Amino acid sequence: FLNLAEANLELPQLALAAQQAEHVYAGTDCGVMDQMTAAFGQRDSALLIDCRTLQITHINLNISDYEIVICNTNIKHELANSAYNERRAECQRAVQLLSVKLPDVRSLRDVTKTQIDDWKQVLPQPLDRRAHHVVTENERTLRAAEVLKRGNVSEFGELMVQSHRSLRDDFEVSCAELDAMVDIAMSQDGVAGARMTGGGFGGCTVNLVQRDAVDRFRMHIEKTYQRQTGIAATTYIVKADGGVQEHD
């Protein structure tokens, strides 16, 4: 559209415009991760995104003999959008309560794990668990960037599993089908990590699987998931690629 209109718009503004469309048109109070990824993606790279400054750090996807496999549960519960907005509101309320004790706190990214542990008594349930998830997920993300730079696939995969557990137990945006998909994946040899991805309550998991185990992994997860849930799963091998661009 920009090229057809002979208009100029920098990539950060393009991502923010797409986010605003989600807020206003779709009614989802989403962040800007997906939009920034679509705008700034690079082949064979992961992106570390600072959502406050919109600074992007490209990190070589140093996963050697592993493939990224997406597993679609092929279900989507209707409460996904409303629950996402609710979680955002809960986190904002947690910030308001914590800022009484911690005046420098503007968002949960300003809170450390130690501070959450020290001041959890000021947060009623479930705000304490919501805040705990966000703070620890930020720490896991920074740690994941470090281990990915070193090519430590084992630790990176463990961080994926920890992330899923936190999304399931603290943020409560998983569902039985996603949990089953992750459990099936992690029961197999050659799988370094698995977690839900996206807004939750259905959708997909992302899995890190040894290249020589991918065919076996896909066959087993599709068969076992259908036996457990009665739903046919769909699996895809994906690659990190470049962001938005014009094609002939």
Side-chain angles (χ1 to χ4, degrees), residues 52 94-107 110-111 115 119:
R52 176 174 285 171
V95 169
Q96 292 173 351
L97 294 173
L98 286 168
S99 65
V100 175
K101 303 293 183 181
L102 303 166
D104 292 334
V105 168
R106 294 165 49 201
S107 71
D110 300 318
V111 183
Q115 288 172 325
W119 295 106

Side-chain angles (χ1 to χ4, degrees), residues 29-201:
D29 190 20
C30 66
V32 76
M33 180 184 72
D34 290 354
Q35 295 86 347
M36 292 291 284
T37 302
F40 288 95
Q42 286 187 1
R43 184 181 296 271
D44 297 326
S45 290
L47 272 66
L48 180 64
I49 305 171
D50 186 320
C51 293
R52 176 174 285 171
T53 65
L54 299 187
Q55 180 180 350
I56 297 284
T57 304
H58 291 93
I59 299 172
N60 182 44
L61 202 56
N62 190 13
I63 54 176
S64 58
D65 297 326
Y66 285 77
E67 298 279 7
I68 301 170
V69 183
I70 302 297
C71 297
N72 192 342
T73 64
N74 284 317
I75 63 109
K76 191 67 177 178
H77 295 299
E78 290 302 318
L79 51 78
N81 277 357
S82 61
Y84 187 95
N85 292 344
E86 181 183 341
R87 295 299 181 276
R88 285 289 296 265
E90 289 170 336
C91 290
Q92 289 164 359
R93 178 57 180 154
V95 169
Q96 292 173 351
L97 294 173
L98 286 168
S99 65
V100 175
K101 303 293 183 181
L102 303 166
D104 292 334
V105 168
R106 294 165 49 201
S107 71
L108 288 174
R109 69 171 285 163
D110 300 318
V111 183
T112 67
K113 174 67 164 54
T114 299
Q115 288 172 325
I116 280 289
D117 292 339
D118 288 345
W119 295 106
K120 61 184 177 182
Q121 70 272 12
V122 308
L123 299 176
Q125 293 186 8
L127 301 189
D128 56 344
R129 287 182 285 112
R130 306 296 187 251
H132 186 268
H133 164 73
V134 174
V135 171
T136 57
E137 187 76 344
N138 283 343
E139 291 184 356
R140 279 188 291 271
T141 301
L142 294 172
R143 180 64 181 165
E146 292 176 7
V147 301
L148 190 58
K149 290 175 183 176
R150 299 200 304 269
N152 189 335
V153 178
S154 176
E155 187 172 354
F156 187 86
E158 176 56 31
L159 289 166
M160 292 174 66
V161 175
Q162 292 175 17
S163 176
H164 182 80
R165 291 171 183 160
S166 183
L167 287 160
R168 179 193 66 195
D169 299 336
D170 284 345
F171 218 51
E172 294 184 286
V173 292
S174 188
C175 63
E177 294 86 355
L178 284 168
D179 294 341
M181 193 80 84
V182 169
D183 289 343
I184 295 166
M186 293 309 300
S187 70
Q188 298 184 68
D189 292 334
V191 179
R195 73 186 290 275
M196 61 160 278
T197 187
F201 304 103

